[in-house]
Amino acid sequence: MTNLYRLPDQRARRRIVSFDRRELSRLLNLYSMRVASGEWRDYAIDFRPGMAIFSIFRHTAEQPLFAIAKVPGGGTGGGYMVYNGPRKLAHGDSLEDVLHIFDRKLKLLLG
């Protein structure tokens, strides 16, 4: 019984990662544009130890179509990632870097 655990130290180790207001606004803006076009239908936000995840669904009862994760830490371990199932589609230091994967390419239709 010689081990002493300070509660504030334990809480600091379990730091909760979340999206800030600017990031959440950007994610919801992208989501609303895709809902309006009929591509996406639902989303979920999860807070796991050391990670925040914004999941996008085509149908509510299915697996997420895409997951956008925020992981703290500088250098190699931190940043933002976009997943399609187990496949990592993009990785970057800023949210804007990884959201470029969702940019649409315009097609010219001649008829």
Side-chain angles (χ1 to χ4, degrees):
M1 293 236 266
T2 60
N3 294 340
L4 179 64
Y5 293 101
R6 291 178 28 109
L7 290 178
D9 294 341
Q10 296 299 319
R11 288 186 190 123
R13 285 187 200 144
R14 293 183 289 160
R15 192 177 124 215
I16 296 175
V17 179
S18 63
F19 295 105
D20 63 25
R21 183 181 300 257
R22 181 190 55 79
E23 294 166 337
L24 195 56
S25 175
R26 178 65 178 103
L27 289 169
L28 290 173
N29 185 33
L30 172 66
Y31 171 76
S32 65
M33 287 190 302
R34 296 295 176 101
V35 167
S37 69
E39 294 177 58
W40 298 345
R41 296 201 189 271
D42 201 6
Y43 74 93
I45 300 175
D46 296 321
F47 302 104
R48 297 186 181 166
M51 180 184 292
I53 303 171
F54 186 90
S55 300
I56 301 161
F57 297 86
R58 184 175 309 222
H59 300 287
T60 306
E62 294 180 354
Q63 293 290 325
L65 193 59
F66 298 103
I68 302 164
K70 177 181 180 180
V71 179
T76 57
Y80 299 86
M81 289 154 272
V82 176
Y83 291 95
N84 179 315
R87 233 174 12 142
K88 187 190 293 189
L89 301 177
H91 180 259
D93 293 329
S94 73
L95 184 60
E96 290 300 321
D97 290 344
V98 299
L99 291 184
H100 284 296
I101 198 165
F102 296 110
D103 289 345
R104 294 187 180 176
K105 295 183 181 178
L106 299 176
K107 297 178 184 176
L108 180 61
L109 300 176
L110 299 174

